[in-house]
């Protein structure tokens, strides 16, 4: 992943109205993650009507979730297109990006994105899978609020968005977007191994420096929520091995469950898949003291909430019908000017039965 793409869309962003709380003191965020494949040809099924219906169901999930929740901001949570497809072309990638952006564009809702491990996986066979090129396409949407990077750090799509008070320019919340990256790569962009990468130390230093600077500027720590694709390793602190009859999921012939009382809401249905060795990112959040909740994708059927050190860790169910799982939708997060928030899973019924 290249670094140095530090353009912040400064001219464009200054011409857009800032994100701001509604008159009722609320700000609604719709988290849509793991959209994956949305082109009917991106499927090996002989019966073409099946992938066509999957495609329509996925796009319908995005639009109906927006229609149902009336969000002030949509956040795409990674694996937004099927960059892992071995027959991916630039044309397919562009078509997919235009389609999913188009569903948001229908409502003229502000959009932000983070990238997942699959978005640019086959970058070596389709140049448009470069995260930087994908970001430039998202930037073509007039109400897009993201950027390449706020600083010269690893990855693409590391930035934060302030949400202002309804009747003043006081910053009430921050929305952090982190690139949790994909896989170690060779110089030709081919993948070296499929051990997932993590948020790098320079990304965390940028985050910590920004929180410190804003605390000095505003005289307080701004409460914040965070979005990235990969969950943090600390979710395993709430899971234990058990007998099959008591299990929430099975993995490699062993059975596991959430510890008693660990799940505050939602369900644990599969093994979480964070970077296995990395625990530094969460420690950075605790150090800064601003993150109230973090929202992840990647694990398509989990919807649990665990709380550790005062930070709630949420999984959001997958949107796309080319992913596994019976329920498809997203998550609504409602922030309030008083520093509180609430959240709920949003399930959208399919347009077509498969």
């Amino acid at each position: 992943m290249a670094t140095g793409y530090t353009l912040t869309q400064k001219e464009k962003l200054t011409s857009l109205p800032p994100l701001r709380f509604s008159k009722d003191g609320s700000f609604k965020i719709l988290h849509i993650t793991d959209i994956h494949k949305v082109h009917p040809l991106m499927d090996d099924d002989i019966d073409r009507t099946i992938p066509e219906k999957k495609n329509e169901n996925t796009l319908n999930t995005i639009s109906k979730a927006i229609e149902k929740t009336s969000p002030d901001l949509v956040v795409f949570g990674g694996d937004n297109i099927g960059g892992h497809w071995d027959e991916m072309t630039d044309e397919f990638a562009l078509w997919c990006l235009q389609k999913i952006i188009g569903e948001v564009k229908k409502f003229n809702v502000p959009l932000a994105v983070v990238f997942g491990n699959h978005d640019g996986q086959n970058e070596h066979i389709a140049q448009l899978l470069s995260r930087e090129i994908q970001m430039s396409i998202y930037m073509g949407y007039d109400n897009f609020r993201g950027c390449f990077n706020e600083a010269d750090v690893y990855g693409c799509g590391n930035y934060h968005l302030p949400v202002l008070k309804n009747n003043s320019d006081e910053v009430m919340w921050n929305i952090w977007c982190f690139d949790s990256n994909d896989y170690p790569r060779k110089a030709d962009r081919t993948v070296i191994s499929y051990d997932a990468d993590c948020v790098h130390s320079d990304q965390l230093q940028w985050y910590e420096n920004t929180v410190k600077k804003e605390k000095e500027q505003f005289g307080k720590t701004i409460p914040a929520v965070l979005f990235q694709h990969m969950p943090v390793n600390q979710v395993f602190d709430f899971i234990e091995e058990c007998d099959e009859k008591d299990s929430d999921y099975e993995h490699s012939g062993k059975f596991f469950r959430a510890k008693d009382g660990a799940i505050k809401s939602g369900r644990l249905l599969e093994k979480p898949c964070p970077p296995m060795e990395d625990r530094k990112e969460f420690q950075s959040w605790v150090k800064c003291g601003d993150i109230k909740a973090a929202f992840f994708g990647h694990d398509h059927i989990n919807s649990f909430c665990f709380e550790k050190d005062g930070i709630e860790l949420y999984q959001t169910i997958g949107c796309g019908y080319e992913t596994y799982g019976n329920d498809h939708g997203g998550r609504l997060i409602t922030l309030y000017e008083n520093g509180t928030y609430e959240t709920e899973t949003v399930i959208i019924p399919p347009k077509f039965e498969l």
Side-chain angles (χ1 to χ4, degrees):
M1 182 68 59
T3 59
Y5 287 84
T6 57
L7 302 177
T8 60
Q9 286 187 282
K10 203 164 188 180
E11 290 183 12
K12 181 175 177 180
L13 288 175
T14 53
S15 66
L16 289 171
L19 300 178
R20 190 179 292 279
F21 277 86
S22 301
K23 290 182 179 179
D24 66 0
S26 69
F27 185 89
K28 295 189 292 184
I29 305 168
L30 177 63
H31 187 210
I32 295 286
T33 187
D34 294 272
I35 303 169
H36 282 266
K37 302 175 184 176
V38 292
H39 196 296
L41 295 182
M42 294 172 66
D43 190 298
D44 296 327
D45 202 303
I46 295 175
D47 182 355
R48 298 261 36 102
T49 62
I50 294 176
E52 286 172 2
K53 288 180 178 178
K54 288 180 179 178
N55 171 54
E56 287 298 319
N57 280 348
T58 298
L59 296 175
N60 178 70
T61 299
I62 299 172
S63 61
K64 291 300 183 183
I66 295 173
E67 188 176 289
K68 181 177 181 178
T69 61
S70 299
D72 300 296
L73 175 71
V74 174
V75 177
F76 284 168
D79 286 1
N80 307 315
I81 63 173
H84 55 297
W85 189 48
D86 287 337
E87 298 176 53
M88 177 61 86
T89 65
D90 289 335
E91 290 75 18
F92 276 124
L94 180 60
W95 191 95
C96 292
L97 285 165
Q98 289 174 335
K99 280 291 184 180
I100 63 176
I101 294 169
E103 294 303 315
V104 181
K105 191 175 183 179
K106 289 177 184 177
F107 301 88
N108 192 32
V109 181
L111 173 67
V113 304
V114 296
F115 293 112
N117 53 302
H118 289 313
D119 283 298
Q121 183 171 325
N122 279 329
E123 183 185 341
H124 61 289
I125 65 173
Q127 290 184 340
L128 196 142
L129 292 181
S130 157
R131 277 165 152 79
E132 289 78 18
I133 295 177
Q134 289 186 54
M135 185 62 83
S136 69
I137 293 169
Y138 283 113
M139 287 177 175
Y141 172 43
D142 288 342
N143 215 346
F144 185 69
R145 302 307 179 103
C147 65
F148 292 107
N149 281 328
E150 282 188 15
D152 188 6
V153 297
Y154 194 87
C156 180
N158 296 286
Y159 54 93
H160 77 302
L161 303 170
V163 186
L164 308 185
K165 196 171 184 177
N166 172 257
N167 57 2
S168 76
D169 289 339
E170 181 181 356
V171 179
M172 305 303 293
W173 281 83
N174 275 326
I175 299 168
W176 291 94
C177 293
F178 280 13
D179 185 2
S180 55
N181 299 300
D182 52 10
Y183 306 103
R185 293 176 182 270
K186 299 177 183 177
D188 64 0
R189 306 303 297 147
T190 54
V191 172
I192 297 173
S193 75
Y194 289 97
D195 295 325
D197 204 348
C198 61
V199 174
H200 287 215
S201 59
D202 63 343
Q203 294 171 267
L204 296 179
Q205 192 61 61
W206 153 72
Y207 156 69
E208 291 180 12
N209 290 344
T210 305
V211 172
K212 180 180 178 181
K213 179 180 178 181
E214 291 192 345
K215 185 175 182 179
E216 293 171 351
Q217 178 181 355
F218 299 119
K220 64 178 181 178
T221 298
I222 305 298
V225 290
L226 180 144
F227 295 90
Q228 67 183 48
H229 185 67
M230 301 288 287
V232 290
N233 185 271
Q234 279 78 0
V235 296
F236 286 128
D237 296 350
F238 300 93
I239 298 172
E240 62 187 5
E241 192 172 345
C242 65
D243 294 332
E244 180 178 2
K245 63 181 178 62
D246 299 319
S247 66
D248 291 320
Y249 67 87
E250 180 267 338
H251 181 74
S252 299
K254 297 181 180 180
F255 298 91
F256 300 86
R257 68 177 183 183
K259 295 177 181 178
D260 288 344
I263 297 180
K264 297 189 67 176
S265 64
R267 297 187 294 175
L268 172 67
L269 296 176
E270 64 176 319
K271 176 184 178 292
C273 292
M276 291 302 296
E277 302 300 327
D278 178 67
R279 294 178 67 85
K280 294 180 180 178
E281 182 184 4
F282 182 86
Q283 294 166 358
S284 178
W285 303 347
V286 174
K287 175 183 175 182
C288 288
D290 65 323
I291 304 296
K292 303 302 180 185
F295 301 89
F296 314 109
H298 190 58
D299 303 324
H300 302 163
I301 58 178
N302 285 337
S303 59
F304 61 73
C305 171
F306 296 145
E307 182 177 355
K308 185 177 177 66
D309 295 334
I311 301 174
E312 292 190 323
L313 308 174
Y314 286 93
Q315 283 291 150
T316 296
I317 61 172
C319 168
Y321 276 74
E322 284 284 359
T323 66
Y324 52 87
N326 296 321
D327 293 331
H328 301 268
R331 178 178 288 279
L332 177 66
I333 304 107
T334 305
L335 309 179
Y336 295 102
E337 284 187 346
N338 65 9
T340 63
Y341 68 93
E342 57 187 15
T343 179
E344 62 181 294
T345 293
V346 178
I347 297 175
I348 302 299
K351 183 177 182 179
F352 299 105
E353 295 297 331
L354 299 174

